[in-house]
């Protein structure tokens, strides 16, 4: 042990003499732990052989039947599509960091994927489209397999014997939930992989505490930081590693600071090295992967509107605006909301229709630039400006009116509630006025410039296009023009609501002028131009991450397979991924492992509390000589488990059982450590028998549920017998003998097939107005929900990705064209002409209520995509 650190790592109550590890006979590793709690483990030949063995078994378990099903499954609709975006260089937005998606893109590229297949919906046939999906699924399968030998190494590094390490690795290998997740193009397999490797590297780092600041010591410290950065770059769940590793580091440094034999300089060196390795390195890795992300996505795409104009200018084919810089009285302007998901202040010849409204002309936010976004700046009511000496600039603190150029109405507010709120601090914005009417003071708004561009002098005093950020505050009501971000009903063309709100935060009430034109400008005026300045890489990383945080915070929904954290650990239910004829995929863990690991975590807490009280009475049981080993190793992983589990209870967003997987791995290690504790003093034959019995039971349960893990064909009776809990809601009707296991009979006659089904008209939805402005968002077609009668197999991250574009799975609401025909059969599925690709709408994914539909006819017959098992519910 490093002499300078020897005393700092000495266990309490021991002599100052360094404790050297001792080995058991033969090739067995250390049974005496090196303080504070990890063994000075070095991989032996037997370790190597066992590592190769468990790796081979893991590869077989993860890769068997990898091609089944040969259709798009669950969230492959998103992450497969994102891989294609990377290959094509087309910009997209997703609320998760980029590393895992880039790994899938690399795997797809190597496998021959050209990025054309769009993964549009669950059930699309990979083979028919020639998609090398097996190569893409092979990546998560390999990563999942590698977590098994990493588990072995982590257990050995914690000071445990080979049999315990082998058992721990087998528990991870045959955990059904982890196997299911690692066989599909989903983000959680890379996340779990980097999480496991981070804690394995951290365990290895502790085995080198006797070699402080040596090359191998630095290697494992820096490796821990790199892997932590990679985990956080896959999903933000990886950030939970920081408190887990951080608490361990704080405890260690606290012990060192109390050691008088350790000089302050050396303690500061320890502190600085950990700050670099565990904070600076992960941050650098996280930033690096975002730089790669932006370098790959260089071309403008559908998600441009999610980002600020400055961000969009960095994309090839992105926003390129050049406009007059100065805004004068009489200027024609287009105002843009300055938040990331921005749009333009807009009006059109349609009136408010909500019950509490004024019935005056609608004022909205619209995402596209057009003539209905043009406003003319005029002086306040009963006020004039002297422009005899030239155009008069608009300055902060001045009161103005905005007249809609096409309709002549003034931007107006009054004591009426807006369409989407009954809050008495919010007021309706409308367009008001008519020929011969001069207006009133309810048209007046005060300009308050919040900030300007430091490179454009005067932009914080005079309103300048692009450069000045300002608010418009109503003169009488003292409310600011506010972007509520709420979608309006169809009678307002589903545009975004804008209202006038008191006491609102500046972020959503800040505007800027994107287009300015003074009609009476002359060449002598020397008109200066303004342009958006391209955002730096640091600015793009900050904006993207801020938008990710907002998207995560706003994730709410009613997905049928969402689950709250209190239900995860005891495996109350799983998640339906895909349904076929005679087989299906349902993510459910190995219940024996889940329940036993939860019990092991609870038992650790109980034992720790009881022994704490006994210590107070100066009774200190040694637990068969395993107390220090058990408390230090299991204690660390229980804390890590809590760091990865407890924070979810504080989240209001929609959650799913796969969020528990990193914590599950840590609980599995605690289970292995607990079994070692109880068998440590048993005769060797008894200990081996216990381990074999546990492994055999786990294998039996794994095989029992392998039908839903590997999409194996089974019978309905066998399926129903595996429902150990009533809350396990996998659909046995997909199994042999179920109603969705075979092709249904065709309609008895053409007449019956053509017989229309009565459809309830949606009286709440306004019919499309023939006079609607062509620039406005056209209301989406009415929807018919495709859903399995007893289960809704839907994509979780349709909401979770928050990406822009048409994304749907077979159970998501699918728009039916107005010229379709409804035919009656039972069960029902929707058919659309082969050459028609309907637009797809995906709101919050969930169990779709029976909708009221307003279509002339919908053709219904049995679907050819039988493996989805989905049916229309009319």
């Amino acid at each position: 042990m490093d002499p300078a650190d020897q005393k700092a790592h000495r266990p309490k109550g021991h002599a100052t003499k360094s404790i050297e590890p001792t080995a058991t006979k033969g090739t067995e590793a250390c049974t005496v732990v090196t303080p504070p709690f990890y063994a000075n483990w070095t991989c032996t030949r037997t370790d190597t052989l066992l590592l190769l063995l468990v790796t081979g078994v893991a590869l077989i378990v993860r890769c068997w039947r990898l091609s089944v099903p040969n259709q798009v499954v669950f969230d492959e609709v998103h992450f497969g599509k994102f891989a294609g975006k990377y290959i094509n260089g087309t910009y997209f937005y997703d609320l998760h960091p980029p590393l895992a998606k880039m790994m899938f893109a690399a795997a797809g590229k190597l496998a021959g994927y050209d990025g054309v297949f769009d993964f549009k919906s669950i059930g699309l046939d990979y083979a028919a489209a020639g998609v090398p999906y097996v190569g893409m699924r092979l990546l998560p399968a390999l990563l999942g397999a590698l977590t098994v030998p990493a588990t072995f190494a982590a257990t050995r590094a914690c000071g445990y014997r080979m049999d315990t390490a082998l058992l721990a690795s087998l528990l991870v290998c045959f955990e059904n939930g982890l196997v299911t997740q690692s066989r599909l193009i989903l983000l959680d397999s890379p996340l779990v992989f980097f999480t496991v490797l981070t804690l394995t590297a951290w365990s290895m780092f502790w085995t080198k505490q006797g070699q402080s600041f040596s090359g191998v010591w630095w290697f494992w410290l820096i490796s821990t930081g790199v892997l932590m950065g990679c985990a956080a770059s896959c999903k933000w769940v990886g950030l939970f590693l920081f408190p887990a590793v951080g608490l361990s580091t704080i405890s260690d440094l606290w012990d060192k600071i109390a050691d008088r034999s350790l000089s302050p300089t050396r303690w500061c060196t320890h502190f600085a090295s950990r700050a670099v390795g565990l904070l600076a390195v992960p941050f650098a890795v996280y930033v690096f992967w975002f730089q790669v992300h932006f370098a790959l996505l260089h071309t403008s795409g559908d998600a441009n509107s999610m980002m600020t104009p400055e961000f969009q200018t960095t994309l090839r084919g992105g926003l390129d605006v050049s406009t007059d810089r100065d805004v004068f009285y009489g200027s024609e302007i287009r105002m843009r909301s300055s938040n990331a998901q921005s749009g333009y202040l807009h009006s059109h010849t349609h009136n408010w229709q909500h019950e509490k409204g004024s019935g005056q002309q609608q004022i909205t936010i619209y995402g596209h630039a057009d003539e209905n976004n043009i406003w003319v700046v005029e002086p306040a009511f009963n006020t004039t400006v002297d422009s005899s000496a030239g155009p008069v600039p608009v300055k902060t603190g001045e009161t103005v009116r905005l007249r809609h150029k096409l309709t002549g109405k003034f931007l107006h507010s009054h004591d009426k509630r807006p369409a989407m709120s009954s809050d008495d601090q919010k007021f309706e914005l409308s367009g008001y006025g008519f020929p011969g009417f001069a207006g009133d003071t309810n048209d007046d708004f005060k300009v308050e410039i919040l900030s300007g561009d430091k490179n454009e002098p005067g932009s914080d005093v005079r309103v300048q296009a692009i450069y000045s950020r300002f608010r418009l505050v109503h003169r009488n009501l003292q409310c600011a023009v506010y972007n509520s971000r709420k979608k309006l009903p169809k009678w307002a063309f589903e545009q975004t609501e804008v209202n006038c709100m008191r006491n609102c935060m500046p972020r959503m009430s800040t505007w800027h002028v994107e287009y300015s034109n003074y009609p009476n400008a002359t060449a002598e005026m020397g008109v200066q131009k303004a342009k958006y300045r391209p955002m730096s890489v640091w600015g793009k990383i900050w904006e993207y991450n801020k938008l990710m945080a907002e998207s995560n915070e706003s994730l709410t929904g009613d997905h049928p397979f969402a689950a709250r954290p209190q239900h995860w650990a005891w495996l109350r239910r799983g998640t339906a991924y895909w349904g076929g004829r005679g087989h299906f995929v349902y993510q459910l863990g190995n219940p024996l492992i889940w329940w036993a690991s939860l019990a092991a975590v609870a038992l650790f807490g109980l034992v720790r509390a009881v022994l704490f009280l006994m210590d107070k009475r100066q009774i200190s049981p040694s637990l068969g000589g395993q107390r220090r080993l058990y408390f230090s190793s299991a204690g660390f992983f229980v804390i890590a488990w809590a760091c990865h589990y407890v924070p979810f209870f504080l989240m209001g967003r929609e959650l799913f059982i796969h969020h528990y997987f990193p914590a599950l791995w840590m609980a599995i290690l605690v289970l292995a450590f607990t079994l070692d504790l109880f068998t440590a003093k048993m005769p060797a034959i008894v200990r081996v028998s216990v381990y074999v019995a546990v492994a055999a039971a786990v294998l039996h349960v794994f095989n029992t549920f392998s039908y839903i893990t590997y999409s194996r064909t089974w019978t309905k009776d066998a399926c129903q017998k595996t429902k150990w809990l009533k809350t396990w809601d996998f659909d046995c009707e997909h199994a042999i003998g179920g109603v969705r296991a075979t092709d249904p009979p065709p309609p008895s006659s053409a007449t019956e097939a053509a017989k229309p089904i009565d459809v309830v008209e949606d009286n709440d939805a306004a019919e499309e107005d023939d006079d609607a402005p062509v620039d406005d968002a056209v209301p989406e077609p009415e929807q018919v929900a495709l859903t399995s009668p007893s289960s809704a197999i839907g994509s979780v991250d349709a909401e979770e990705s928050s990406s822009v574009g048409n994304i749907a799975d077979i159970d998501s609401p699918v728009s039916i064209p107005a010229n379709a025909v409804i035919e009656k059969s039972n069960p029902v599925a929707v058919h659309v002409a082969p050459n028609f690709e309907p637009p797809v709408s995906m709101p919050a994914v969930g169990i779709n209520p029976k909708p009221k539909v307003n279509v002339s006819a919908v053709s219904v017959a049995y679907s050819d995509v039988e493996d989805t098992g989905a049916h229309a519910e009319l």
Side-chain angles (χ1 to χ4, degrees):
M1 178 174 287
D2 190 334
D5 295 333
Q6 179 175 340
K7 187 175 179 181
H9 290 283
R10 187 177 69 252
K12 294 180 181 179
H14 284 248
T16 57
K17 183 180 179 180
S18 175
I19 298 178
E20 295 296 331
T22 60
T24 58
K25 296 180 180 180
T27 57
E28 288 290 327
C30 315
T31 57
V32 177
V33 112
T34 298
F37 53 84
Y38 284 97
N40 187 12
W41 173 62
T42 301
C43 186
T44 66
R45 179 178 299 179
T46 306
D47 286 319
T48 303
L49 293 175
L50 288 176
L51 281 169
L52 292 174
L53 174 64
V54 297
T55 302
V57 173
L59 287 171
I60 295 172
V61 171
R62 260 58 175 185
C63 297
W64 185 58
R65 290 174 59 88
L66 198 59
S67 61
V68 180
N70 64 349
Q71 297 178 358
V72 178
V73 176
F74 198 57
D75 277 351
E76 289 184 335
V77 297
H78 307 299
F79 306 123
K81 179 190 67 177
F82 293 155
K85 297 281 188 181
Y86 279 115
I87 292 172
N88 296 325
T90 304
Y91 182 77
F92 69 90
Y93 167 76
D94 178 51
L95 60 76
H96 298 299
L99 176 57
K101 297 186 288 288
M102 291 192 294
M103 294 172 68
F104 285 124
K109 187 70 174 178
L110 292 174
Y113 174 47
D114 57 8
V116 174
F117 184 77
D118 59 5
F119 294 83
K120 190 174 183 180
S121 62
I122 292 177
L124 289 182
D125 194 319
Y126 284 132
V131 180
Y133 70 102
V134 175
M136 298 179 71
R137 287 179 179 173
L138 184 61
L139 170 67
L142 293 176
L143 298 181
L146 290 175
T147 61
V148 176
T151 302
F152 183 95
T155 306
R156 294 287 283 136
C158 288
Y160 287 91
R161 286 179 281 183
M162 290 182 186
D163 53 359
T164 301
L166 182 61
L167 178 64
S169 59
L170 290 178
L171 292 176
V172 173
C173 182
F174 293 103
E175 203 298 294
N176 296 73
L178 292 175
V179 173
T180 303
Q181 199 73 12
S182 63
R183 292 166 44 79
L184 302 169
I185 307 171
L186 304 174
L187 301 186
D188 291 273
S189 183
L191 169 67
V192 172
F193 170 76
F194 285 116
T195 299
V196 170
L197 259 64
T198 296
L199 296 184
T200 301
W202 185 240
S203 301
M204 293 299 300
F205 169 72
W206 275 100
T207 68
K208 308 303 176 186
Q209 289 306 293
Q211 307 172 43
S212 297
F213 306 110
S214 64
V216 68
W217 184 92
W218 276 109
F219 172 80
W220 288 117
L221 177 63
I222 299 302
S223 295
T224 302
V226 170
L227 292 166
M228 272 203 298
C230 289
S233 299
C234 291
K235 293 181 77 171
W236 274 358
V237 176
L239 294 174
F240 296 151
L241 286 165
F242 285 84
V245 174
L247 290 172
S248 174
T249 302
I250 292 171
S251 176
D252 175 51
L253 292 176
W254 182 254
D255 289 340
K256 282 182 169 59
I257 203 172
D259 182 8
R260 294 184 180 181
S261 68
L262 193 66
S263 68
T265 300
R266 192 167 184 85
W267 185 91
C268 290
T269 305
H270 275 288
F271 176 87
S273 63
R274 285 158 174 80
V276 170
L278 303 178
L279 292 176
V281 170
F283 178 76
V285 170
Y286 187 80
V287 169
F288 170 76
W289 289 123
F290 266 99
Q291 289 179 316
V292 176
H293 169 78
F294 292 131
L296 293 175
L297 302 181
H298 48 72
T299 304
S300 176
D302 293 337
N304 284 18
S305 60
M306 303 286 291
M307 318 311 295
T308 60
E310 291 81 1
F311 189 109
Q312 295 181 42
T313 58
T314 64
L315 301 173
R316 184 185 305 165
L319 192 65
D320 185 13
V321 173
S322 178
T323 185
D324 295 351
R325 187 193 69 177
D326 298 302
V327 177
F328 305 105
Y329 287 96
S331 290
E332 299 175 352
I333 64 172
R334 178 182 294 118
M335 283 173 44
R336 186 179 191 126
S337 178
S338 298
N339 74 88
Q341 300 178 18
S342 55
Y344 302 95
L345 190 67
H346 178 92
S347 190
H348 43 231
T349 56
H350 292 269
N351 297 332
W352 290 119
Q353 298 181 23
H354 57 293
E355 181 179 351
K356 55 198 172 184
S358 65
Q360 296 173 7
Q361 185 168 297
Q362 296 173 8
I363 304 293
T364 66
I365 291 177
Y366 184 54
H368 303 280
D370 62 24
E371 290 298 314
N372 274 334
N373 303 335
I374 302 298
W375 301 82
V376 180
V377 183
E378 296 189 0
F381 177 67
N382 281 341
T383 304
T384 59
V385 294
D386 183 8
S387 58
S388 59
V392 179
V394 178
K395 298 180 180 179
T396 186
E398 294 182 344
T399 302
V400 302
R401 292 190 296 174
L402 296 179
R403 176 172 55 83
H404 192 243
K405 180 180 178 181
L406 291 187
T407 64
K409 310 280 187 176
F410 284 104
L411 180 67
H412 182 92
S413 190
H414 42 213
D415 191 12
K416 294 285 185 180
R417 299 283 79 79
M420 307 304 293
S421 176
S422 58
D423 189 341
D424 59 6
Q425 297 296 305
K426 297 179 181 178
F427 304 91
E428 177 191 84
L429 282 177
S430 64
Y432 183 62
F434 47 87
F437 177 65
D440 56 36
T441 57
N442 278 336
D443 303 334
D444 291 347
F445 290 83
K446 181 182 178 181
V447 178
E448 295 181 353
I449 296 181
L450 301 177
S451 64
D453 191 317
K454 63 181 180 180
N455 297 317
E456 296 295 331
S459 59
D460 57 344
V461 177
R462 301 187 306 274
V463 177
Q464 294 183 2
I466 308 294
Y467 306 130
S468 299
R469 297 294 192 269
F470 58 87
R471 299 207 305 168
L472 293 175
V473 179
H474 193 261
R475 174 179 175 182
N476 295 333
L477 297 173
Q478 293 301 302
C479 57
V481 178
Y482 176 78
N483 178 359
S484 76
R485 294 175 291 181
K486 295 179 179 178
K487 179 188 274 190
L488 289 163
K490 291 186 177 181
W491 50 257
F493 304 97
E494 297 184 334
Q495 296 175 5
T496 303
E497 183 196 46
V498 59
N499 58 48
C500 197
M501 181 177 177
R502 289 175 179 163
N503 305 316
C504 59
M505 299 297 290
R507 188 173 67 88
M508 301 310 298
S509 60
T510 302
W511 301 80
H512 66 272
V513 174
E514 185 173 277
Y515 164 81
S516 176
N517 176 53
Y518 185 64
N520 299 323
T522 60
E524 292 77 14
M525 289 176 56
V527 177
Q528 300 188 52
K529 296 294 183 180
K531 294 187 66 174
Y532 287 115
R533 291 187 175 89
M535 186 175 285
S536 67
V537 172
W538 286 104
K540 292 172 69 174
I541 293 173
W542 172 255
E543 178 177 322
Y544 198 100
N545 279 266
K546 184 172 68 172
L547 187 56
M548 286 165 55
E550 294 172 359
S551 300
N552 275 284
E553 184 180 356
S554 63
L555 275 182
T556 56
D558 57 351
H559 192 282
F561 292 97
R564 295 304 300 169
Q566 60 267 28
H567 299 148
W568 297 346
W570 60 281
L571 199 62
R572 179 178 181 271
R573 66 190 306 221
T575 306
Y577 274 11
W578 177 87
R581 306 217 184 241
H583 53 116
F584 57 92
V585 179
Y586 184 93
Q587 184 191 64
L588 187 72
N590 186 315
L592 181 59
I593 294 176
W594 284 59
W595 297 336
S597 62
L598 177 61
V601 171
L603 181 63
F604 173 85
L606 178 63
V607 171
R608 192 70 180 87
V610 170
L611 264 63
F612 174 78
L613 296 177
M614 295 179 70
D615 289 342
K616 287 296 184 182
R617 297 181 62 86
Q618 298 183 353
I619 303 172
S620 300
S622 65
L623 300 182
Q626 300 294 308
R627 175 170 174 166
R628 287 188 55 255
L629 174 61
Y630 175 67
F631 276 5
S632 57
S633 56
F636 170 74
F637 282 100
V638 166
I639 292 173
W641 172 86
C643 290
H644 283 78
Y645 185 35
V646 173
F648 287 108
F649 287 89
L650 308 177
M651 298 182 187
R653 57 157 290 179
E654 196 170 49
L655 298 169
F656 299 86
I657 196 171
H658 61 252
H659 289 112
Y660 182 67
F661 283 160
L664 172 65
W665 178 80
M666 299 157 201
I668 291 175
L669 261 66
V670 176
L671 172 60
F673 300 162
T674 304
L675 289 171
D676 180 90
L677 173 68
F678 283 98
T679 60
K681 295 303 180 180
M682 290 182 180
I685 187 65
V686 177
R687 175 183 169 98
V688 170
S689 299
V690 171
Y691 278 22
V692 170
V694 171
V698 167
L699 284 170
H700 173 72
V701 176
F702 174 80
N703 181 67
T704 299
F705 291 95
S706 65
Y707 292 90
I708 58 178
T709 299
Y710 294 106
S711 188
R712 297 171 62 190
T713 301
W714 61 344
T715 65
K716 180 179 177 180
D717 290 340
C719 174
Q720 291 176 334
K721 289 178 181 178
T722 61
K723 287 192 174 184
W724 295 358
L725 298 181
K726 294 181 180 180
T727 53
W728 292 353
D729 48 0
F730 45 85
D731 188 2
C732 292
E733 296 298 334
H734 285 285
I736 299 298
V739 297
R740 284 183 288 281
T742 57
D743 291 332
S748 59
S749 66
T751 303
E752 181 181 349
K755 184 179 179 181
I757 293 176
D758 293 333
V759 180
V760 179
E761 183 176 354
D762 185 357
N763 296 322
D764 296 330
E767 296 182 2
E768 185 176 347
D769 194 322
D770 294 335
D771 297 326
V774 295
D775 58 281
D776 287 332
V778 178
E780 296 180 358
E782 296 292 330
Q783 299 170 345
V784 174
L786 293 183
T787 179
S788 168
S790 59
S791 67
I793 303 174
S795 171
V796 170
D797 280 332
E799 265 193 283
E800 205 168 309
S801 72
S802 296
S803 59
V804 175
N806 292 332
I807 307 171
D809 56 60
I810 200 65
D811 293 312
S812 302
V814 179
S815 301
I816 304 302
N819 61 351
V821 182
I822 287 193
E823 298 172 345
K824 186 175 182 181
S825 60
N826 188 28
V828 191
V830 175
H831 265 308
V832 181
N835 61 348
F836 180 83
E837 183 176 345
V840 178
S841 167
M842 175 164 275
V845 179
I847 299 178
N848 301 299
K850 294 185 179 181
K852 297 177 182 179
V853 285
N854 182 16
V855 292
S856 57
V858 179
S859 78
V860 175
Y862 287 99
S863 174
D864 293 328
V865 285
E866 60 270 15
D867 278 348
T868 64
H871 303 80
E873 192 172 281
L874 300 179

